[in-house]
Amino acid sequence: MSAKNPPGTELHLTDAQLRQLVADADTGGRDPQGGVARLLMIVALIWSLFQLWIASPLPFKLGVFVLNTTESRAIHLAFSVFLGFMLFPAFKRSPRQSVPVLDWVFALAGAFCASYLYLFYDQLSHRPGLPTTPDLIVAVAGLALLLEATRRALGMPLVVLATVFIAYIFLGPHMPDMIAHQAVSLGKGMSHLWLTTEGVYGVALGVSASFIFLFVLFGALLETAGAGNYFIQSAISLLGGLRGGPAKAAVLASAATGVISGSSIANVVTTGTFTIPLMKRVGYRPDKAAAVESAASVDGQIMPPVMGAAAFLMVEYVGIPYSQVVTHAILPALISYIALFYIVHLEAVKADIRGIAREHSMPWKYRLISTGMTVSGVIILAAIVYYGFGWIKAVAGDASMLVAGTALVLVYLALLKFGTRYPELKLDDPGTRLETLPDIGPTLKSGLYFLLPVVVLIWNLMVEQLSPATSAFWATMFLVFILLTQRPLVAWFRGGQSPAGAWRQGACDLFNGLVTGARNMISIGLATAAAGIIVGTVTLTGVGLVMTEFVEMISGGNLFVMLGMVAVICLILGMGLPTTANYIVVSTLMAPVVVELGAQNGLLVPLIAVHLFVFYFGLMADVTPPVGLASYAAAGIARTDPIKTGVTAFGYSIRTAVLPFMFIFNTQLLLIDIGGPVHLSITVGSAILANLVFVAATQGWFLDRNRWYECVLLLVIAFSLFRPGFWMDRVIPEYTLQPASQVMAFADKAKPGQELRLWIHGEDLYGKEISKGVLLKLGEGATGRERLQATGLRILPGADDLTIIAVQFGSQAAKLGIEQGYDITGMEIANDRPASEWMLLPALVVLVLLALAQRRRRRLAGSAV
């Protein structure tokens, strides 16, 4: 999403202006006509088909157009640059209905420079690090054109940041001593940034080409098929009748839409044009209605499985399977949405806001039974699919894919026919008043088949353990089948529309979805490529170490100050960068800082926790005034002040901002080191309750309006529920430091995969003394020595310490910053102490007493009136 200043200063945005805002930010603000428009649609279509081709098994089976990762990245960037110049005007006054000649020149030249690695791959592979004059010309021109395309699509902040880093490469000797580095020649710098996979064509662009495009395309096709409308209508029908129902429906709809959308502003405009007017009508203040939608839409980017494309980048940067990323991210996302749900409930209670009446009124018991039967039917269907597919795989063997595919099609046909028994869902005009709510049962049942592509995606990712690219490919192909067949089948089942017309409409839907998916990817492709400049600079100059020293110097070694500084830096960077580019930059610059300084202070946390920490604070910029475009778009719909909306939305989003600090110190919130079902239930329950209590404290209302000391008490209770280990550590420390001589004995007794907490000491390549802790996960092996070697370590026992004599390149130990020549000076052993969860009991007792006190005060106030 772009972070450019919004065009104009008007508060009242029309539907056309909102669509233009989304286009300017995500898909290109230019809308050429005639043959140029058809050409650009064809190019976008070819891009989508190309991405599906390289993700499919066909190239390898047919032996046709087989590309390696570098070649596919080059073609991916060529499409991004070409469409970026063609669809994003250079300036506000640039023509919107036509493409100037200069933009044609830039588009073609940029596409050539971007595809240079593909066109001349063989020649470049035979002279690595020895660029010719044409190579350098292409590299310099390519960087300039990439930055210009990025400026058009994403605004100046990322361009300025990338330019500063490029300048730093060549001006290193002239920098202050703290950040100075050796001189880099033009050939070395340009070759590193453009002609290798260390810079522009690095991991970030590779993830964009391999994973992100397919998931964005999946979301675009799902939206084109009508799933977005189904999610919105289902949320309204389910929750619209509750106290403050439209706001609660907005939260649920945004969570569901966030699963398929990678853009917070698109989420705001998609759901907000319907939910914000409803919220205003039932009594929410305009700025609060807009803030609810803005906060809910931004949180859609922390909701798995897509997470604004960051999940796929984490797979590469952290080095863990995608299924683990989703597992670690799911609980914070859920409790954040539950807390926002509670916020809108408290606002409704304070303002005495009621819900919307239902079209067919019936006793709540019957509504509950109807809804329960529908939900239970979905659960039973899910169980049949889960166990049925498992049985098919065991029995059918190699033919299981064919059998499973046939069964999936039959389920789709059955659900589609079942849905045609109920009226077709049509999104009401946001300008009209919604007087009554649609019935829950018919609304939910009319589009159950929309859940099948999501089920296929999650099944492939979590159960079959397929790669994200392969999973998205098969889910997308199933969506293609749905788009081509749903209209003809509905026409057949319902009668009325001609089959030929329905087939044409289905093909048109597919065409539009493929084109829309490609247009949605332009900004992301450019963002990942431009962010690669920063990543390449870090790997070439070692500026990452400078960042660590700088933060350490400013924070004075204080862990909490350091985390606060990193959070502020991530927030500031996020104000100028789109989500994907922001995560790449902050994870490259700030994640190593948190890991290194935390380790020096004895805070040993998994790398995934650190990456989620910087990711969460980068996202907060989307609602932070004065830049947050999500707040601006929501304010335009609500016809209110965007700054006031941003301030309110930021207040609502504090409950999300507190989570990263909590899971840094309590990694159980990321479902790490969970002992079993009981432990899992306690962890989930206490985390949800903690965030609800935190909301009650920050919103000033629990069962009644809080007094100041009650807010303080609620904050202490919330902290205790989030991190019960803090109080237990005051009684009995969690770990005891043991001599290094115990390491081998511990590794002999430990199981593969068990974590080893080591303290190491030594000097790095720059002569700086290092003393820190590391969290090492033991590998496979029969003995402790073999398990340590599986982590990449070879050690030599000494009198008091263990000397590391070799570290395997690319191993777990190497990624933790362990180097040859370091000494293992000690290890931490967990103490035998009561479970930290026992500390939850005093917090719960105090919470109950506070609730009773407020209830009594409220009752007395009512009797006095």
Side-chain angles (χ1 to χ4, degrees), residues 1 247 249-273 275-276 279 289-303 307-308 336-337 340 579 619 622-623 629-631 633-634 637 649 653 655-656:
M1 187 186 76
V251 174
L252 180 60
S254 295
T257 307
V259 172
I260 62 176
S261 172
S263 168
S264 56
I265 185 173
N267 198 346
V268 166
V269 174
T270 300
T271 61
T273 51
T275 57
I276 290 176
M279 285 188 269
V292 167
E293 182 57 52
S294 178
S297 297
V298 169
D299 274 7
Q301 295 189 79
I302 67 174
M303 177 63 71
M307 295 172 60
S336 181
Y337 264 112
L340 183 58
T579 302
L619 284 181
D622 279 351
V623 296
L629 266 185
S631 297
I637 299 171
S653 297
R655 97 270 176 218
T656 302

CSV table of all heavy atoms in Angstrom, one decimal, residues 1 247 249-273 275-276 279 289-303 307-308 336-337 340 579 619 622-623 629-631 633-634 637 649 653 655-656:
chain,number,residue,atom,x,y,z
A,1,MET,N,0.8,-1.2,0.0
A,1,MET,CA,0.0,0.0,0.0
A,1,MET,C,0.9,1.2,0.0
A,1,MET,O,1.9,1.3,0.7
A,1,MET,CB,-0.9,0.0,1.2
A,1,MET,CG,-1.9,1.1,1.2
A,1,MET,SD,-2.8,1.2,2.8
A,1,MET,CE,-1.6,1.9,3.8
A,247,ALA,N,-20.9,-2.4,14.0
A,247,ALA,CA,-19.5,-2.3,14.3
A,247,ALA,C,-18.9,-3.7,14.5
A,247,ALA,O,-17.8,-4.0,14.0
A,247,ALA,CB,-19.3,-1.4,15.5
A,249,ALA,N,-20.0,-6.4,13.2
A,249,ALA,CA,-20.0,-7.0,11.9
A,249,ALA,C,-18.8,-6.5,11.0
A,249,ALA,O,-18.2,-7.3,10.3
A,249,ALA,CB,-21.3,-6.7,11.1
A,250,ALA,N,-18.5,-5.2,11.2
A,250,ALA,CA,-17.4,-4.7,10.5
A,250,ALA,C,-16.1,-5.3,10.9
A,250,ALA,O,-15.2,-5.6,10.1
A,250,ALA,CB,-17.3,-3.2,10.8
A,251,VAL,N,-15.9,-5.6,12.2
A,251,VAL,CA,-14.7,-6.3,12.7
A,251,VAL,C,-14.6,-7.7,12.1
A,251,VAL,O,-13.6,-8.1,11.6
A,251,VAL,CB,-14.7,-6.4,14.2
A,251,VAL,CG1,-13.6,-7.2,14.7
A,251,VAL,CG2,-14.7,-5.0,14.8
A,252,LEU,N,-15.8,-8.5,12.1
A,252,LEU,CA,-15.7,-9.8,11.6
A,252,LEU,C,-15.5,-9.8,10.1
A,252,LEU,O,-14.8,-10.6,9.5
A,252,LEU,CB,-17.1,-10.5,11.9
A,252,LEU,CG,-17.2,-12.0,11.4
A,252,LEU,CD1,-16.2,-12.8,12.0
A,252,LEU,CD2,-18.6,-12.5,11.8
A,253,ALA,N,-16.2,-8.9,9.4
A,253,ALA,CA,-16.1,-8.9,7.9
A,253,ALA,C,-14.6,-8.5,7.5
A,253,ALA,O,-14.1,-9.0,6.5
A,253,ALA,CB,-17.0,-7.9,7.3
A,254,SER,N,-14.0,-7.6,8.2
A,254,SER,CA,-12.6,-7.2,7.9
A,254,SER,C,-11.7,-8.3,8.2
A,254,SER,O,-10.7,-8.5,7.5
A,254,SER,CB,-12.2,-5.9,8.7
A,254,SER,OG,-13.0,-4.8,8.3
A,255,ALA,N,-11.9,-9.1,9.3
A,255,ALA,CA,-11.1,-10.3,9.5
A,255,ALA,C,-11.2,-11.3,8.4
A,255,ALA,O,-10.2,-11.8,8.0
A,255,ALA,CB,-11.5,-10.9,10.9
A,256,ALA,N,-12.4,-11.5,7.9
A,256,ALA,CA,-12.6,-12.5,6.9
A,256,ALA,C,-12.0,-12.0,5.6
A,256,ALA,O,-11.3,-12.7,4.8
A,256,ALA,CB,-14.1,-12.8,6.7
A,257,THR,N,-12.2,-10.7,5.3
A,257,THR,CA,-11.6,-10.1,4.1
A,257,THR,C,-10.1,-10.0,4.1
A,257,THR,O,-9.4,-10.1,3.1
A,257,THR,CB,-12.2,-8.7,3.8
A,257,THR,OG1,-13.6,-8.8,3.9
A,257,THR,CG2,-11.8,-8.1,2.5
A,258,GLY,N,-9.6,-9.8,5.3
A,258,GLY,CA,-8.1,-9.7,5.5
A,258,GLY,C,-7.5,-11.0,5.1
A,258,GLY,O,-6.3,-11.1,4.8
A,259,VAL,N,-8.2,-12.2,5.2
A,259,VAL,CA,-7.6,-13.4,4.8
A,259,VAL,C,-7.3,-13.5,3.3
A,259,VAL,O,-6.3,-14.1,2.9
A,259,VAL,CB,-8.6,-14.6,5.1
A,259,VAL,CG1,-8.1,-15.9,4.5
A,259,VAL,CG2,-8.8,-14.7,6.6
A,260,ILE,N,-8.0,-12.7,2.5
A,260,ILE,CA,-7.8,-12.8,1.0
A,260,ILE,C,-7.3,-11.5,0.5
A,260,ILE,O,-7.0,-11.4,-0.7
A,260,ILE,CB,-9.2,-13.1,0.3
A,260,ILE,CG1,-10.2,-12.0,0.6
A,260,ILE,CG2,-9.7,-14.4,0.7
A,260,ILE,CD1,-11.5,-12.2,-0.2
A,261,SER,N,-7.1,-10.4,1.3
A,261,SER,CA,-6.6,-9.1,0.9
A,261,SER,C,-5.3,-8.8,1.5
A,261,SER,O,-5.2,-9.0,2.7
A,261,SER,CB,-7.7,-8.0,1.2
A,261,SER,OG,-7.1,-6.8,0.9
A,262,GLY,N,-4.4,-8.3,0.8
A,262,GLY,CA,-3.1,-7.8,1.3
A,262,GLY,C,-3.0,-6.3,1.5
A,262,GLY,O,-1.9,-5.8,1.8
A,263,SER,N,-4.1,-5.6,1.4
A,263,SER,CA,-4.1,-4.2,1.4
A,263,SER,C,-5.1,-3.7,2.4
A,263,SER,O,-6.3,-4.0,2.3
A,263,SER,CB,-4.4,-3.6,0.0
A,263,SER,OG,-4.6,-2.2,0.1
A,264,SER,N,-4.7,-2.9,3.4
A,264,SER,CA,-5.6,-2.3,4.4
A,264,SER,C,-6.5,-1.3,3.8
A,264,SER,O,-7.7,-1.3,4.1
A,264,SER,CB,-4.8,-1.7,5.5
A,264,SER,OG,-3.9,-0.8,5.1
A,265,ILE,N,-6.0,-0.5,2.8
A,265,ILE,CA,-6.9,0.5,2.2
A,265,ILE,C,-8.0,-0.1,1.4
A,265,ILE,O,-9.2,0.3,1.4
A,265,ILE,CB,-6.1,1.6,1.4
A,265,ILE,CG1,-7.0,2.7,1.0
A,265,ILE,CG2,-5.4,1.0,0.3
A,265,ILE,CD1,-6.3,3.8,0.3
A,266,ALA,N,-7.6,-1.2,0.6
A,266,ALA,CA,-8.6,-1.9,-0.2
A,266,ALA,C,-9.7,-2.5,0.7
A,266,ALA,O,-10.8,-2.6,0.4
A,266,ALA,CB,-8.0,-2.9,-1.1
A,267,ASN,N,-9.2,-3.0,1.9
A,267,ASN,CA,-10.1,-3.6,2.9
A,267,ASN,C,-11.1,-2.6,3.4
A,267,ASN,O,-12.3,-2.9,3.5
A,267,ASN,CB,-9.3,-4.3,4.0
A,267,ASN,CG,-10.1,-5.3,4.8
A,267,ASN,OD1,-11.3,-5.3,4.7
A,267,ASN,ND2,-9.4,-6.0,5.6
A,268,VAL,N,-10.6,-1.4,3.7
A,268,VAL,CA,-11.4,-0.3,4.2
A,268,VAL,C,-12.5,0.0,3.2
A,268,VAL,O,-13.7,0.1,3.5
A,268,VAL,CB,-10.6,0.9,4.5
A,268,VAL,CG1,-11.5,2.2,4.7
A,268,VAL,CG2,-9.8,0.7,5.8
A,269,VAL,N,-12.1,0.2,1.9
A,269,VAL,CA,-13.1,0.6,0.9
A,269,VAL,C,-14.0,-0.5,0.6
A,269,VAL,O,-15.2,-0.3,0.3
A,269,VAL,CB,-12.3,1.1,-0.4
A,269,VAL,CG1,-13.3,1.4,-1.5
A,269,VAL,CG2,-11.5,2.3,-0.1
A,270,THR,N,-13.6,-1.8,0.6
A,270,THR,CA,-14.4,-2.9,0.3
A,270,THR,C,-15.5,-3.1,1.3
A,270,THR,O,-16.7,-3.1,1.0
A,270,THR,CB,-13.6,-4.2,0.2
A,270,THR,OG1,-12.7,-4.0,-0.8
A,270,THR,CG2,-14.5,-5.4,-0.1
A,271,THR,N,-15.2,-3.1,2.6
A,271,THR,CA,-16.1,-3.4,3.7
A,271,THR,C,-16.7,-2.1,4.3
A,271,THR,O,-17.8,-2.0,4.7
A,271,THR,CB,-15.5,-4.2,4.8
A,271,THR,OG1,-14.4,-3.5,5.4
A,271,THR,CG2,-15.0,-5.5,4.3
A,272,GLY,N,-15.9,-1.0,4.3
A,272,GLY,CA,-16.3,0.2,4.9
A,272,GLY,C,-17.4,0.9,4.3
A,272,GLY,O,-18.2,1.6,4.9
A,273,THR,N,-17.5,0.9,2.9
A,273,THR,CA,-18.6,1.6,2.2
A,273,THR,C,-19.9,1.0,2.7
A,273,THR,O,-21.0,1.7,2.5
A,273,THR,CB,-18.4,1.5,0.7
A,273,THR,OG1,-18.2,0.1,0.4
A,273,THR,CG2,-17.2,2.3,0.2
A,275,THR,N,-20.3,-0.9,5.9
A,275,THR,CA,-20.4,-1.0,7.4
A,275,THR,C,-20.4,0.4,8.0
A,275,THR,O,-21.1,0.6,9.1
A,275,THR,CB,-19.3,-1.9,7.9
A,275,THR,OG1,-18.0,-1.3,7.6
A,275,THR,CG2,-19.4,-3.3,7.4
A,276,ILE,N,-19.6,1.3,7.5
A,276,ILE,CA,-19.5,2.6,8.2
A,276,ILE,C,-20.8,3.4,8.2
A,276,ILE,O,-21.2,3.9,9.3
A,276,ILE,CB,-18.4,3.5,7.6
A,276,ILE,CG1,-17.0,2.9,7.9
A,276,ILE,CG2,-18.4,4.9,8.0
A,276,ILE,CD1,-15.8,3.6,7.3
A,279,MET,N,-22.9,1.8,10.9
A,279,MET,CA,-22.4,2.2,12.3
A,279,MET,C,-22.9,3.6,12.6
A,279,MET,O,-23.4,3.8,13.8
A,279,MET,CB,-20.9,2.1,12.4
A,279,MET,CG,-20.4,0.7,12.4
A,279,MET,SD,-18.6,0.7,12.8
A,279,MET,CE,-17.9,0.6,11.1
A,289,ALA,N,-16.8,5.4,14.1
A,289,ALA,CA,-17.2,4.4,13.0
A,289,ALA,C,-16.0,4.2,12.1
A,289,ALA,O,-15.7,3.1,11.7
A,289,ALA,CB,-18.4,4.9,12.3
A,290,ALA,N,-15.4,5.3,11.6
A,290,ALA,CA,-14.3,5.2,10.7
A,290,ALA,C,-13.1,4.5,11.4
A,290,ALA,O,-12.4,3.8,10.7
A,290,ALA,CB,-13.9,6.6,10.2
A,291,ALA,N,-12.9,4.8,12.6
A,291,ALA,CA,-11.7,4.3,13.3
A,291,ALA,C,-11.9,2.8,13.5
A,291,ALA,O,-10.9,2.0,13.4
A,291,ALA,CB,-11.6,5.0,14.7
A,292,VAL,N,-13.1,2.3,13.8
A,292,VAL,CA,-13.3,0.9,14.0
A,292,VAL,C,-13.0,0.2,12.7
A,292,VAL,O,-12.3,-0.9,12.7
A,292,VAL,CB,-14.8,0.6,14.4
A,292,VAL,CG1,-15.1,-0.9,14.2
A,292,VAL,CG2,-15.0,1.0,15.8
A,293,GLU,N,-13.5,0.7,11.5
A,293,GLU,CA,-13.2,0.1,10.2
A,293,GLU,C,-11.7,0.1,9.9
A,293,GLU,O,-11.2,-0.9,9.4
A,293,GLU,CB,-14.0,0.7,9.2
A,293,GLU,CG,-13.9,0.1,7.8
A,293,GLU,CD,-14.2,-1.3,7.7
A,293,GLU,OE1,-15.3,-1.7,8.2
A,293,GLU,OE2,-13.4,-2.1,7.3
A,294,SER,N,-11.1,1.2,10.2
A,294,SER,CA,-9.7,1.4,9.9
A,294,SER,C,-8.8,0.4,10.7
A,294,SER,O,-8.0,-0.3,10.2
A,294,SER,CB,-9.2,2.8,10.2
A,294,SER,OG,-7.8,3.0,10.0
A,295,ALA,N,-9.1,0.3,12.0
A,295,ALA,CA,-8.3,-0.6,12.9
A,295,ALA,C,-8.6,-2.0,12.5
A,295,ALA,O,-7.6,-2.9,12.5
A,295,ALA,CB,-8.7,-0.4,14.4
A,296,ALA,N,-9.8,-2.4,12.2
A,296,ALA,CA,-10.1,-3.8,11.8
A,296,ALA,C,-9.5,-4.1,10.4
A,296,ALA,O,-9.0,-5.2,10.3
A,296,ALA,CB,-11.6,-3.9,11.7
A,297,SER,N,-9.4,-3.2,9.5
A,297,SER,CA,-8.9,-3.5,8.2
A,297,SER,C,-7.3,-3.6,8.3
A,297,SER,O,-6.8,-4.5,7.6
A,297,SER,CB,-9.2,-2.3,7.2
A,297,SER,OG,-10.6,-2.3,7.0
A,298,VAL,N,-6.7,-2.8,9.1
A,298,VAL,CA,-5.3,-2.9,9.2
A,298,VAL,C,-4.9,-4.2,9.9
A,298,VAL,O,-3.9,-4.9,9.5
A,298,VAL,CB,-4.7,-1.7,10.1
A,298,VAL,CG1,-3.3,-1.9,10.5
A,298,VAL,CG2,-4.8,-0.4,9.2
A,299,ASP,N,-5.7,-4.6,10.9
A,299,ASP,CA,-5.4,-5.9,11.5
A,299,ASP,C,-5.6,-7.1,10.6
A,299,ASP,O,-5.1,-8.2,10.9
A,299,ASP,CB,-6.3,-6.1,12.8
A,299,ASP,CG,-5.7,-5.5,14.0
A,299,ASP,OD1,-4.7,-4.8,13.9
A,299,ASP,OD2,-6.3,-5.6,15.1
A,300,GLY,N,-6.3,-6.9,9.5
A,300,GLY,CA,-6.4,-7.9,8.5
A,300,GLY,C,-5.0,-8.4,8.0
A,300,GLY,O,-4.8,-9.5,7.5
A,301,GLN,N,-4.0,-7.5,8.1
A,301,GLN,CA,-2.7,-7.8,7.6
A,301,GLN,C,-1.9,-8.7,8.6
A,301,GLN,O,-0.8,-9.1,8.2
A,301,GLN,CB,-1.9,-6.6,7.2
A,301,GLN,CG,-2.6,-5.8,6.1
A,301,GLN,CD,-1.7,-4.7,5.6
A,301,GLN,OE1,-0.8,-4.9,4.8
A,301,GLN,NE2,-2.1,-3.5,6.0
A,302,ILE,N,-2.4,-8.8,9.8
A,302,ILE,CA,-1.7,-9.7,10.7
A,302,ILE,C,-2.4,-11.1,10.8
A,302,ILE,O,-2.0,-12.0,11.5
A,302,ILE,CB,-1.6,-9.1,12.2
A,302,ILE,CG1,-3.0,-9.0,12.8
A,302,ILE,CG2,-0.9,-7.8,12.1
A,302,ILE,CD1,-2.9,-8.5,14.3
A,303,MET,N,-3.5,-11.2,10.1
A,303,MET,CA,-4.3,-12.4,10.1
A,303,MET,C,-3.8,-13.4,9.1
A,303,MET,O,-3.7,-13.2,7.9
A,303,MET,CB,-5.8,-12.1,9.8
A,303,MET,CG,-6.7,-13.3,9.7
A,303,MET,SD,-6.8,-14.2,11.3
A,303,MET,CE,-7.8,-13.0,12.3
A,307,MET,N,-1.3,-12.4,5.7
A,307,MET,CA,-0.5,-11.5,6.5
A,307,MET,C,0.2,-10.4,5.7
A,307,MET,O,1.3,-10.0,5.9
A,307,MET,CB,0.5,-12.2,7.4
A,307,MET,CG,-0.1,-13.1,8.4
A,307,MET,SD,1.2,-14.1,9.3
A,307,MET,CE,2.2,-12.9,10.0
A,308,GLY,N,-0.5,-9.8,4.7
A,308,GLY,CA,0.0,-8.8,3.9
A,308,GLY,C,1.3,-9.2,3.2
A,308,GLY,O,2.2,-8.4,3.0
A,336,SER,N,-6.2,-10.1,19.1
A,336,SER,CA,-6.3,-8.7,18.7
A,336,SER,C,-7.7,-8.4,18.2
A,336,SER,O,-8.3,-7.4,18.5
A,336,SER,CB,-5.2,-8.4,17.7
A,336,SER,OG,-5.3,-7.0,17.3
A,337,TYR,N,-8.2,-9.3,17.3
A,337,TYR,CA,-9.6,-9.1,16.8
A,337,TYR,C,-10.6,-9.2,17.9
A,337,TYR,O,-11.6,-8.5,17.9
A,337,TYR,CB,-9.8,-10.1,15.7
A,337,TYR,CG,-9.6,-9.5,14.3
A,337,TYR,CD1,-8.5,-9.9,13.5
A,337,TYR,CD2,-10.3,-8.4,13.8
A,337,TYR,CE1,-8.2,-9.4,12.3
A,337,TYR,CE2,-10.1,-7.9,12.6
A,337,TYR,CZ,-9.0,-8.4,11.8
A,337,TYR,OH,-8.8,-7.8,10.6
A,340,LEU,N,-10.7,-6.0,19.7
A,340,LEU,CA,-11.3,-4.9,19.0
A,340,LEU,C,-12.9,-5.1,19.1
A,340,LEU,O,-13.6,-4.2,19.1
A,340,LEU,CB,-10.9,-4.9,17.6
A,340,LEU,CG,-11.5,-3.8,16.7
A,340,LEU,CD1,-11.2,-2.4,17.2
A,340,LEU,CD2,-10.9,-3.9,15.2
A,579,THR,N,3.5,-1.9,3.3
A,579,THR,CA,3.6,-3.1,4.3
A,579,THR,C,4.8,-4.0,3.9
A,579,THR,O,5.6,-4.3,4.8
A,579,THR,CB,2.3,-3.9,4.3
A,579,THR,OG1,1.2,-3.0,4.7
A,579,THR,CG2,2.4,-5.0,5.3
A,619,LEU,N,3.3,-2.1,10.9
A,619,LEU,CA,1.9,-2.0,10.4
A,619,LEU,C,1.1,-0.8,11.1
A,619,LEU,O,0.2,-0.3,10.6
A,619,LEU,CB,1.2,-3.3,10.7
A,619,LEU,CG,1.4,-4.4,9.8
A,619,LEU,CD1,0.6,-5.6,10.2
A,619,LEU,CD2,1.1,-4.1,8.3
A,622,ASP,N,-0.2,2.4,9.4
A,622,ASP,CA,-1.4,2.5,8.5
A,622,ASP,C,-2.5,3.2,9.2
A,622,ASP,O,-3.4,3.7,8.5
A,622,ASP,CB,-1.8,1.1,8.1
A,622,ASP,CG,-1.0,0.6,6.9
A,622,ASP,OD1,-0.2,1.4,6.4
A,622,ASP,OD2,-1.1,-0.6,6.6
A,623,VAL,N,-2.5,3.3,10.5
A,623,VAL,CA,-3.6,4.0,11.2
A,623,VAL,C,-3.0,5.3,12.0
A,623,VAL,O,-3.8,6.0,12.6
A,623,VAL,CB,-4.3,3.1,12.3
A,623,VAL,CG1,-5.0,2.0,11.6
A,623,VAL,CG2,-3.3,2.6,13.3
A,629,LEU,N,-3.1,6.0,5.5
A,629,LEU,CA,-4.1,6.1,4.4
A,629,LEU,C,-5.4,5.3,4.7
A,629,LEU,O,-6.4,5.6,4.2
A,629,LEU,CB,-3.5,5.6,3.1
A,629,LEU,CG,-2.9,6.7,2.2
A,629,LEU,CD1,-2.5,6.1,0.8
A,629,LEU,CD2,-3.9,7.8,1.9
A,630,ALA,N,-5.2,4.3,5.5
A,630,ALA,CA,-6.4,3.5,5.9
A,630,ALA,C,-7.4,4.4,6.7
A,630,ALA,O,-8.6,4.4,6.5
A,630,ALA,CB,-6.0,2.3,6.8
A,631,SER,N,-6.8,5.2,7.6
A,631,SER,CA,-7.7,6.1,8.4
A,631,SER,C,-8.3,7.2,7.5
A,631,SER,O,-9.4,7.6,7.6
A,631,SER,CB,-6.9,6.8,9.5
A,631,SER,OG,-6.4,5.8,10.4
A,633,ALA,N,-9.0,7.0,4.2
A,633,ALA,CA,-10.0,6.4,3.4
A,633,ALA,C,-11.3,6.2,4.2
A,633,ALA,O,-12.4,6.5,3.8
A,633,ALA,CB,-9.6,5.1,2.8
A,634,ALA,N,-11.2,5.7,5.4
A,634,ALA,CA,-12.3,5.5,6.3
A,634,ALA,C,-13.0,6.8,6.7
A,634,ALA,O,-14.2,6.9,6.7
A,634,ALA,CB,-11.9,4.7,7.6
A,637,ILE,N,-15.2,8.0,3.8
A,637,ILE,CA,-16.5,7.3,3.8
A,637,ILE,C,-17.4,7.9,4.9
A,637,ILE,O,-18.6,8.1,4.7
A,637,ILE,CB,-16.3,5.8,3.9
A,637,ILE,CG1,-15.4,5.3,2.8
A,637,ILE,CG2,-17.7,5.1,4.0
A,637,ILE,CD1,-15.0,3.8,3.0
A,649,ALA,N,-8.4,5.8,15.9
A,649,ALA,CA,-8.0,4.5,15.4
A,649,ALA,C,-6.7,4.0,16.1
A,649,ALA,O,-6.5,2.9,16.5
A,649,ALA,CB,-7.8,4.5,13.9
A,653,SER,N,-5.9,0.8,18.4
A,653,SER,CA,-4.9,-0.1,18.0
A,653,SER,C,-3.8,-0.4,19.0
A,653,SER,O,-2.9,-1.2,18.8
A,653,SER,CB,-4.2,0.4,16.7
A,653,SER,OG,-5.2,0.4,15.6
A,655,ARG,N,-4.1,-1.9,21.7
A,655,ARG,CA,-4.2,-3.3,22.1
A,655,ARG,C,-3.4,-4.2,21.2
A,655,ARG,O,-3.0,-5.3,21.6
A,655,ARG,CB,-5.7,-3.7,22.2
A,655,ARG,CG,-6.3,-4.5,21.1
A,655,ARG,CD,-6.9,-3.6,20.0
A,655,ARG,NE,-7.4,-4.4,18.9
A,655,ARG,CZ,-7.3,-4.0,17.7
A,655,ARG,NH1,-6.7,-2.8,17.4
A,655,ARG,NH2,-7.7,-4.7,16.7
A,656,THR,N,-3.2,-3.8,19.9
A,656,THR,CA,-2.3,-4.6,19.1
A,656,THR,C,-0.9,-4.3,19.3
A,656,THR,O,0.0,-5.2,19.3
A,656,THR,CB,-2.7,-4.3,17.6
A,656,THR,OG1,-4.1,-4.6,17.3
A,656,THR,CG2,-1.8,-5.1,16.6
